[in-house]
Every structure is written in C-alpha cells, then in structure tokens.
Amino acid sequence: MLIAVSAFGKNQDSEVNPRLGRCEYFVLYDTDTDKYSSIDNTGRFSQGAAGIATASLLSNQKVQVVITGNIGPNAYTALEAAGIEVFTGAKGTAQDVIKDYQKDLLSKANAPNVGPHGR
Amino acid sequence: MKISVASGKGGTGKTLVATSLALSLIKNNPSVQLLDCDVEEPNVHLFLDQEPINETTVSLPIPKINEDLCQHCGKCTEICRFNAITLLKDTILIFPDVCHSCSACWHFCPTGALEPSPREVGTVQISQSGKLKLITGRLNLGVHASPPVIKAVRGAIDTDTVTIIDGPPGSSCPVMAAVEETDYCILVTEPTPFGLNDLSLAVEMLKVLNVPCGVIINRDVPGNHLIDDYCQEKGLPILLRIPLDTEIARAYAKGIPLVKSSPVWTEKFIDLYQQVTQEVTK
Ligand code: SF4
Ligand code: SF4
C-alpha cells in the first residue's frame, strides 16, 4: 500500500506541509517494500482549485492514504471519490507521521477541515 | 441616465447615498429605478416599503455527464483550466462551485458524454415602492459567481428611466460588472487613511473602465483635508459632504433613509444629481 505525505522536501526527514493542494512534494512510502520515494506536486501550479488537481495526481499514482495538515472541500470530495483515505492535523517529519499513522495515532478526516482556498 | 454608487470598501455609506438619491429623484421624475447589485448581501430592501412584483432565477450552464457515453479519455479534465471536472478512477467528478461555465468541456468531449445543464446561481427580484422600482440581485448561498447575477439585474432595467445602481464594495470583478457602462460613478468614502486608500483603488479602476466619477465624503469632520487634497490632485469633484452625526447614524441604523429622517437632504441630493448631469454633459 502506498502512503503519501504532503511535505516541504523530498525525503523521509522533510517536514509535513499542512497545505495539501499547494505543497511542493509528496513523500511516498510503500508499506510492502518499506521504501521511500517522492513526487512533485504538479497540481499546485494549476490556476483553479489546486486540491482537485492534486487529488487526481495522487489517484493516478495509486496512492491509498494521504497524510496532511488541512483539507478543503473540493480536495476532500475528489479524494473520497478516488477512494483515498485522508488523515489531517499531522505535524513533524514525513517519517514521524507515517509511524504515527501505523500506530493509529492520526485522526481520519471525515469532512473537510478548512474552507475553499484554505480559508 | 445611469449612475452607479461605489466605494472601495464596505460600510462607507454607499447604500445610504443610493437610497437617498433615488428617493429624492422620484420627487421630480415620473419613475426611478434603484438597483441593488451588492448581490452577496443586498440590503437596500431593508430601507424601503415595497410590493413584490416578480422574481426570476439566474442560471449558468455547467456540464452534466452521461456515464453511458463516457470513455474515460480524460480530455475534459485536460481542457478545463479551473479543475472543475476531473477523472478519478473511472468516475467523472464535476465541481459546480469551481466551474466557470466556459463550455470547453462539452465542446471538446469526443463522445458527446457531456452536455450543458443549468445551475441556479441567484435570483433577481423586482418590487415597487411608490414610484420607485427596486431591482434586487441575490446570489445563492455558497455560490461565488457575482458578475452573472449583477448582469442579470442590469439586464432587467427599463433603459429610458433614471437608474441608480448600488454596487458591491471593493474594486474587483463584481464592482466592475456593476459600474461598467454607467454614465457616472459616485464614490462614497470616509476621511480616513483606509478610506483614502480604497478610494484611490476605486478611482484607478474607473479610469480603466472609462467611467467619470466624483466623490461624496461621508462621516465628514471639519478640518480634515485628507480626501480634499487627494481629489484636488486628481481633479475629482467633491459632490457632497455628509457630516459625522449621531442623529444620522441612529436613524440609518433603524432602517430609515437619510432623506426620510431629515428631509432637508432631499434638496441636497437633487442638487447632487444636477451636478452629476453637468459633469456628464460637460
Ligand atoms: S464549463 Fe469550462 S470551467 Fe466548467 S467544467 Fe467545463 S471546461 Fe471546466
Ligand atoms: S471528454 Fe468526454 S468521454 Fe472523455 S472523459 Fe471527459 S466526459 Fe468522458
């Protein structure tokens, strides 16, 4: 299973970026191989609702779980439709929050926790 | 004659000016139209007794998907500049709030799976208050598309009648939709640094739109020359000064238009209109 963390950098020591749609990178962790990798969040350059483009990028990467700080209504709807689970309120490095996730310490988002455009 | 009333920010007395001007003009005109184009928060109706005449809805086209025809090619997702339509797994997801109704997606869908369907974004209500016709635009909750609703309000007017437009605050797209192609714009401001800053933004916007303008100073205090100095520098006329006065504020807070609470203002607003007419024909 592939987990994505919205982050400021490209590796497991990078800090979580709380903004899902506008984060620079996603640090990916594959639970089957115990390997880290990363992707550029090309969605952040989009003119319109960045969260939607980001959600479709994650869906195309076959990500199943996303860990981030905040999620808005459009991105939430899109991730839900893609069957991707979202965990919010994460702080620390990518590696830390993945551990937190595995210990079941993160809260699962059942609704967006910020308004459109991160308001 | 179409006169718009605008201000760089909210709460400067735009509605006070628009209602008082319209109510003063019905004294000498067979009829006057007052348009409330502050569609996110229309409030002119709170100041007038009125009889409703009719209400129409304003709709914009957004795509509707016919799943049976969709081949999941992703063309629509690629073409939409706003990410309002996206392909996730094998589902097309449409975000009405993000859609700008540009029509690209249904135009370019190769299989005809998308077609436009109307989405209600607001309403236009027409009511009558004596000789005054009030046309109110109202944006539906959660919708962000003000300009189409403002255009619908403006489309509902009788072009031969004197028209006063109460615009939305600010100096972005909704304001432009309310003031463009009016004969004159009255800018209402306060004699504070914030007021001046927002006034200058509004003046720049009107320059681009090529709409002549003049200024009303509301809550004016004698001895304060902030706005006067700016207007002199820019060659803008100061059309009227409304003093900082607790009586005026109190009546207004109760929903009584200025010209009703103190009828002496009627003449001043009629003079104001004459000044504007001269400015327009000069
Ligand atoms: S109409 Fe335009 S903005 Fe709306 S979904 Fe289609 S392409 Fe996107
Ligand atoms: S362009 Fe038409 S066929 Fe292609 S994914 Fe979009 S709706 Fe489906």
PDB file of all heavy atoms in Angstrom, chain B residues 61-63 76 79-85 94-95 98-106 114, ligand 1:
ATOM      1  N   PRO B  61     -24.716  27.601 -17.209  1.00  0.00           N
ATOM      2  CA  PRO B  61     -24.576  26.210 -17.650  1.00  0.00           C
ATOM      3  C   PRO B  61     -23.354  25.548 -17.029  1.00  0.00           C
ATOM      4  O   PRO B  61     -22.276  26.140 -16.977  1.00  0.00           O
ATOM      5  CB  PRO B  61     -24.392  26.344 -19.167  1.00  0.00           C
ATOM      6  CG  PRO B  61     -23.804  27.703 -19.366  1.00  0.00           C
ATOM      7  CD  PRO B  61     -24.320  28.567 -18.242  1.00  0.00           C
ATOM      8  N   ILE B  62     -23.546  24.361 -16.506  1.00  0.00           N
ATOM      9  CA  ILE B  62     -22.406  23.559 -16.048  1.00  0.00           C
ATOM     10  C   ILE B  62     -22.535  22.176 -16.715  1.00  0.00           C
ATOM     11  O   ILE B  62     -23.627  21.793 -17.127  1.00  0.00           O
ATOM     12  CB  ILE B  62     -22.339  23.423 -14.506  1.00  0.00           C
ATOM     13  CG1 ILE B  62     -23.575  22.689 -13.974  1.00  0.00           C
ATOM     14  CG2 ILE B  62     -22.179  24.759 -13.825  1.00  0.00           C
ATOM     15  CD1 ILE B  62     -23.357  22.180 -12.556  1.00  0.00           C
ATOM     16  N   PRO B  63     -21.429  21.452 -16.830  1.00  0.00           N
ATOM     17  CA  PRO B  63     -21.522  20.168 -17.531  1.00  0.00           C
ATOM     18  C   PRO B  63     -22.301  19.117 -16.747  1.00  0.00           C
ATOM     19  O   PRO B  63     -22.268  19.098 -15.521  1.00  0.00           O
ATOM     20  CB  PRO B  63     -20.056  19.751 -17.679  1.00  0.00           C
ATOM     21  CG  PRO B  63     -19.321  20.479 -16.608  1.00  0.00           C
ATOM     22  CD  PRO B  63     -20.050  21.767 -16.417  1.00  0.00           C
ATOM     23  N   CYS B  76     -11.689  16.090 -21.098  1.00  0.00           N
ATOM     24  CA  CYS B  76     -12.358  17.190 -20.389  1.00  0.00           C
ATOM     25  C   CYS B  76     -11.487  17.684 -19.227  1.00  0.00           C
ATOM     26  O   CYS B  76     -11.354  18.888 -19.012  1.00  0.00           O
ATOM     27  CB  CYS B  76     -13.727  16.739 -19.888  1.00  0.00           C
ATOM     28  SG  CYS B  76     -13.688  15.207 -18.955  1.00  0.00           S
ATOM     29  N   ILE B  79      -8.670  19.793 -20.575  1.00  0.00           N
ATOM     30  CA  ILE B  79      -9.041  21.067 -21.173  1.00  0.00           C
ATOM     31  C   ILE B  79      -9.525  22.100 -20.154  1.00  0.00           C
ATOM     32  O   ILE B  79      -9.403  23.297 -20.381  1.00  0.00           O
ATOM     33  CB  ILE B  79     -10.103  20.819 -22.276  1.00  0.00           C
ATOM     34  CG1 ILE B  79      -9.958  21.871 -23.367  1.00  0.00           C
ATOM     35  CG2 ILE B  79     -11.502  20.817 -21.737  1.00  0.00           C
ATOM     36  CD1 ILE B  79      -9.782  21.272 -24.702  1.00  0.00           C
ATOM     37  N   CYS B  80     -10.049  21.635 -19.028  1.00  0.00           N
ATOM     38  CA  CYS B  80     -10.598  22.585 -18.055  1.00  0.00           C
ATOM     39  C   CYS B  80      -9.473  23.306 -17.322  1.00  0.00           C
ATOM     40  O   CYS B  80      -8.678  22.683 -16.623  1.00  0.00           O
ATOM     41  CB  CYS B  80     -11.507  21.878 -17.048  1.00  0.00           C
ATOM     42  SG  CYS B  80     -12.179  23.047 -15.856  1.00  0.00           S
ATOM     43  N   ARG B  81      -9.424  24.616 -17.472  1.00  0.00           N
ATOM     44  CA  ARG B  81      -8.362  25.404 -16.838  1.00  0.00           C
ATOM     45  C   ARG B  81      -8.587  25.557 -15.342  1.00  0.00           C
ATOM     46  O   ARG B  81      -7.731  26.027 -14.619  1.00  0.00           O
ATOM     47  CB  ARG B  81      -8.320  26.803 -17.460  1.00  0.00           C
ATOM     48  CG  ARG B  81      -7.890  26.810 -18.902  1.00  0.00           C
ATOM     49  CD  ARG B  81      -7.542  28.221 -19.321  1.00  0.00           C
ATOM     50  NE  ARG B  81      -8.727  29.074 -19.329  1.00  0.00           N
ATOM     51  CZ  ARG B  81      -8.772  30.306 -18.843  1.00  0.00           C
ATOM     52  NH1 ARG B  81      -7.716  30.817 -18.249  1.00  0.00           N
ATOM     53  NH2 ARG B  81      -9.864  31.031 -18.934  1.00  0.00           N
ATOM     54  N   PHE B  82      -9.779  25.212 -14.888  1.00  0.00           N
ATOM     55  CA  PHE B  82     -10.132  25.507 -13.495  1.00  0.00           C
ATOM     56  C   PHE B  82     -10.190  24.256 -12.618  1.00  0.00           C
ATOM     57  O   PHE B  82     -10.554  24.335 -11.456  1.00  0.00           O
ATOM     58  CB  PHE B  82     -11.484  26.233 -13.461  1.00  0.00           C
ATOM     59  CG  PHE B  82     -11.489  27.463 -14.334  1.00  0.00           C
ATOM     60  CD1 PHE B  82     -12.048  27.423 -15.596  1.00  0.00           C
ATOM     61  CD2 PHE B  82     -10.904  28.634 -13.893  1.00  0.00           C
ATOM     62  CE1 PHE B  82     -12.033  28.554 -16.412  1.00  0.00           C
ATOM     63  CE2 PHE B  82     -10.883  29.761 -14.704  1.00  0.00           C
ATOM     64  CZ  PHE B  82     -11.449  29.720 -15.964  1.00  0.00           C
ATOM     65  N   ASN B  83      -9.887  23.096 -13.183  1.00  0.00           N
ATOM     66  CA  ASN B  83     -10.005  21.828 -12.463  1.00  0.00           C
ATOM     67  C   ASN B  83     -11.421  21.577 -11.968  1.00  0.00           C
ATOM     68  O   ASN B  83     -11.620  20.985 -10.919  1.00  0.00           O
ATOM     69  CB  ASN B  83      -9.080  21.780 -11.246  1.00  0.00           C
ATOM     70  CG  ASN B  83      -7.629  21.841 -11.648  1.00  0.00           C
ATOM     71  OD1 ASN B  83      -7.241  21.261 -12.644  1.00  0.00           O
ATOM     72  ND2 ASN B  83      -6.838  22.558 -10.870  1.00  0.00           N
ATOM     73  N   ALA B  84     -12.395  22.049 -12.716  1.00  0.00           N
ATOM     74  CA  ALA B  84     -13.770  21.888 -12.263  1.00  0.00           C
ATOM     75  C   ALA B  84     -14.329  20.534 -12.646  1.00  0.00           C
ATOM     76  O   ALA B  84     -15.402  20.144 -12.194  1.00  0.00           O
ATOM     77  CB  ALA B  84     -14.643  22.998 -12.846  1.00  0.00           C
ATOM     78  N   ILE B  85     -13.606  19.823 -13.504  1.00  0.00           N
ATOM     79  CA  ILE B  85     -14.060  18.491 -13.892  1.00  0.00           C
ATOM     80  C   ILE B  85     -12.825  17.591 -13.866  1.00  0.00           C
ATOM     81  O   ILE B  85     -11.758  17.975 -14.335  1.00  0.00           O
ATOM     82  CB  ILE B  85     -14.743  18.521 -15.287  1.00  0.00           C
ATOM     83  CG1 ILE B  85     -15.300  17.149 -15.662  1.00  0.00           C
ATOM     84  CG2 ILE B  85     -13.813  19.044 -16.385  1.00  0.00           C
ATOM     85  CD1 ILE B  85     -16.346  17.212 -16.771  1.00  0.00           C
ATOM     86  N   ILE B  94     -17.648  16.381 -11.144  1.00  0.00           N
ATOM     87  CA  ILE B  94     -17.840  17.776 -11.546  1.00  0.00           C
ATOM     88  C   ILE B  94     -18.001  18.627 -10.293  1.00  0.00           C
ATOM     89  O   ILE B  94     -18.744  18.264  -9.381  1.00  0.00           O
ATOM     90  CB  ILE B  94     -19.090  17.897 -12.454  1.00  0.00           C
ATOM     91  CG1 ILE B  94     -18.833  17.128 -13.762  1.00  0.00           C
ATOM     92  CG2 ILE B  94     -19.415  19.369 -12.763  1.00  0.00           C
ATOM     93  CD1 ILE B  94     -20.070  16.768 -14.533  1.00  0.00           C
ATOM     94  N   PHE B  95     -17.265  19.761 -10.239  1.00  0.00           N
ATOM     95  CA  PHE B  95     -17.331  20.673  -9.100  1.00  0.00           C
ATOM     96  C   PHE B  95     -18.040  21.961  -9.529  1.00  0.00           C
ATOM     97  O   PHE B  95     -17.404  22.874 -10.053  1.00  0.00           O
ATOM     98  CB  PHE B  95     -15.922  20.993  -8.590  1.00  0.00           C
ATOM     99  CG  PHE B  95     -15.208  19.797  -8.023  1.00  0.00           C
ATOM    100  CD1 PHE B  95     -14.525  18.916  -8.853  1.00  0.00           C
ATOM    101  CD2 PHE B  95     -15.257  19.532  -6.663  1.00  0.00           C
ATOM    102  CE1 PHE B  95     -13.882  17.800  -8.333  1.00  0.00           C
ATOM    103  CE2 PHE B  95     -14.612  18.416  -6.134  1.00  0.00           C
ATOM    104  CZ  PHE B  95     -13.927  17.550  -6.968  1.00  0.00           C
ATOM    105  N   VAL B  98     -16.626  25.412  -8.742  1.00  0.00           N
ATOM    106  CA  VAL B  98     -15.338  25.772  -9.329  1.00  0.00           C
ATOM    107  C   VAL B  98     -15.510  26.074 -10.821  1.00  0.00           C
ATOM    108  O   VAL B  98     -14.722  26.765 -11.443  1.00  0.00           O
ATOM    109  CB  VAL B  98     -14.332  24.611  -9.115  1.00  0.00           C
ATOM    110  CG1 VAL B  98     -12.959  24.967  -9.630  1.00  0.00           C
ATOM    111  CG2 VAL B  98     -14.247  24.251  -7.632  1.00  0.00           C
ATOM    112  N   CYS B  99     -16.584  25.548 -11.397  1.00  0.00           N
ATOM    113  CA  CYS B  99     -16.844  25.685 -12.833  1.00  0.00           C
ATOM    114  C   CYS B  99     -17.102  27.143 -13.204  1.00  0.00           C
ATOM    115  O   CYS B  99     -17.849  27.841 -12.543  1.00  0.00           O
ATOM    116  CB  CYS B  99     -18.037  24.830 -13.226  1.00  0.00           C
ATOM    117  SG  CYS B  99     -18.562  25.047 -14.931  1.00  0.00           S
ATOM    118  N   HIS B 100     -16.467  27.596 -14.277  1.00  0.00           N
ATOM    119  CA  HIS B 100     -16.655  28.963 -14.766  1.00  0.00           C
ATOM    120  C   HIS B 100     -17.577  29.010 -15.989  1.00  0.00           C
ATOM    121  O   HIS B 100     -17.599  30.004 -16.709  1.00  0.00           O
ATOM    122  CB  HIS B 100     -15.304  29.587 -15.122  1.00  0.00           C
ATOM    123  CG  HIS B 100     -14.504  30.031 -13.929  1.00  0.00           C
ATOM    124  ND1 HIS B 100     -14.204  29.183 -12.895  1.00  0.00           N
ATOM    125  CD2 HIS B 100     -13.962  31.232 -13.609  1.00  0.00           C
ATOM    126  CE1 HIS B 100     -13.491  29.852 -11.985  1.00  0.00           C
ATOM    127  NE2 HIS B 100     -13.341  31.090 -12.400  1.00  0.00           N
ATOM    128  N   SER B 101     -18.254  27.911 -16.270  1.00  0.00           N
ATOM    129  CA  SER B 101     -19.200  27.858 -17.394  1.00  0.00           C
ATOM    130  C   SER B 101     -18.568  28.282 -18.722  1.00  0.00           C
ATOM    131  O   SER B 101     -19.205  28.958 -19.526  1.00  0.00           O
ATOM    132  CB  SER B 101     -20.423  28.739 -17.114  1.00  0.00           C
ATOM    133  OG  SER B 101     -21.061  28.318 -15.942  1.00  0.00           O
ATOM    134  N   CYS B 102     -17.326  27.874 -18.942  1.00  0.00           N
ATOM    135  CA  CYS B 102     -16.640  28.333 -20.155  1.00  0.00           C
ATOM    136  C   CYS B 102     -17.042  27.512 -21.387  1.00  0.00           C
ATOM    137  O   CYS B 102     -16.716  27.866 -22.502  1.00  0.00           O
ATOM    138  CB  CYS B 102     -15.131  28.272 -19.967  1.00  0.00           C
ATOM    139  SG  CYS B 102     -14.462  26.616 -20.060  1.00  0.00           S
ATOM    140  N   SER B 103     -17.683  26.364 -21.181  1.00  0.00           N
ATOM    141  CA  SER B 103     -18.215  25.478 -22.226  1.00  0.00           C
ATOM    142  C   SER B 103     -17.158  24.616 -22.932  1.00  0.00           C
ATOM    143  O   SER B 103     -17.496  23.837 -23.817  1.00  0.00           O
ATOM    144  CB  SER B 103     -19.044  26.257 -23.254  1.00  0.00           C
ATOM    145  OG  SER B 103     -18.205  26.858 -24.221  1.00  0.00           O
ATOM    146  N   ALA B 104     -15.901  24.744 -22.552  1.00  0.00           N
ATOM    147  CA  ALA B 104     -14.853  23.977 -23.248  1.00  0.00           C
ATOM    148  C   ALA B 104     -15.088  22.468 -23.159  1.00  0.00           C
ATOM    149  O   ALA B 104     -14.951  21.760 -24.147  1.00  0.00           O
ATOM    150  CB  ALA B 104     -13.477  24.334 -22.682  1.00  0.00           C
ATOM    151  N   CYS B 105     -15.458  21.980 -21.976  1.00  0.00           N
ATOM    152  CA  CYS B 105     -15.521  20.521 -21.799  1.00  0.00           C
ATOM    153  C   CYS B 105     -16.561  19.861 -22.690  1.00  0.00           C
ATOM    154  O   CYS B 105     -16.273  18.870 -23.351  1.00  0.00           O
ATOM    155  CB  CYS B 105     -15.710  20.150 -20.333  1.00  0.00           C
ATOM    156  SG  CYS B 105     -17.151  20.885 -19.565  1.00  0.00           S
ATOM    157  N   TRP B 106     -17.782  20.432 -22.734  1.00  0.00           N
ATOM    158  CA  TRP B 106     -18.780  19.752 -23.571  1.00  0.00           C
ATOM    159  C   TRP B 106     -18.501  19.975 -25.049  1.00  0.00           C
ATOM    160  O   TRP B 106     -18.885  19.203 -25.897  1.00  0.00           O
ATOM    161  CB  TRP B 106     -20.220  20.098 -23.186  1.00  0.00           C
ATOM    162  CG  TRP B 106     -20.611  21.539 -23.170  1.00  0.00           C
ATOM    163  CD1 TRP B 106     -20.983  22.287 -24.236  1.00  0.00           C
ATOM    164  CD2 TRP B 106     -20.733  22.394 -22.024  1.00  0.00           C
ATOM    165  NE1 TRP B 106     -21.311  23.558 -23.829  1.00  0.00           N
ATOM    166  CE2 TRP B 106     -21.170  23.656 -22.482  1.00  0.00           C
ATOM    167  CE3 TRP B 106     -20.510  22.223 -20.652  1.00  0.00           C
ATOM    168  CZ2 TRP B 106     -21.394  24.738 -21.623  1.00  0.00           C
ATOM    169  CZ3 TRP B 106     -20.730  23.287 -19.808  1.00  0.00           C
ATOM    170  CH2 TRP B 106     -21.162  24.536 -20.287  1.00  0.00           C
ATOM    171  N   LEU B 114     -20.828  14.795 -22.423  1.00  0.00           N
ATOM    172  CA  LEU B 114     -21.097  15.966 -21.588  1.00  0.00           C
ATOM    173  C   LEU B 114     -22.082  16.881 -22.298  1.00  0.00           C
ATOM    174  O   LEU B 114     -21.988  17.094 -23.503  1.00  0.00           O
ATOM    175  CB  LEU B 114     -19.802  16.744 -21.327  1.00  0.00           C
ATOM    176  CG  LEU B 114     -18.740  16.041 -20.487  1.00  0.00           C
ATOM    177  CD1 LEU B 114     -17.471  16.876 -20.462  1.00  0.00           C
ATOM    178  CD2 LEU B 114     -19.250  15.793 -19.070  1.00  0.00           C
TER     179      LEU B 114
HETATM  180  S1  SF4 C   1     -17.558  24.520 -18.462  1.00  0.00           S
HETATM  181 FE1  SF4 C   1     -15.414  25.163 -18.529  1.00  0.00          FE
HETATM  182  S2  SF4 C   1     -14.942  25.570 -16.378  1.00  0.00           S
HETATM  183 FE2  SF4 C   1     -16.810  24.372 -16.367  1.00  0.00          FE
HETATM  184  S3  SF4 C   1     -16.104  22.250 -16.182  1.00  0.00           S
HETATM  185 FE3  SF4 C   1     -16.337  22.671 -18.368  1.00  0.00          FE
HETATM  186  S4  SF4 C   1     -14.293  23.281 -19.022  1.00  0.00           S
HETATM  187 FE4  SF4 C   1     -14.334  23.460 -16.793  1.00  0.00          FE
END
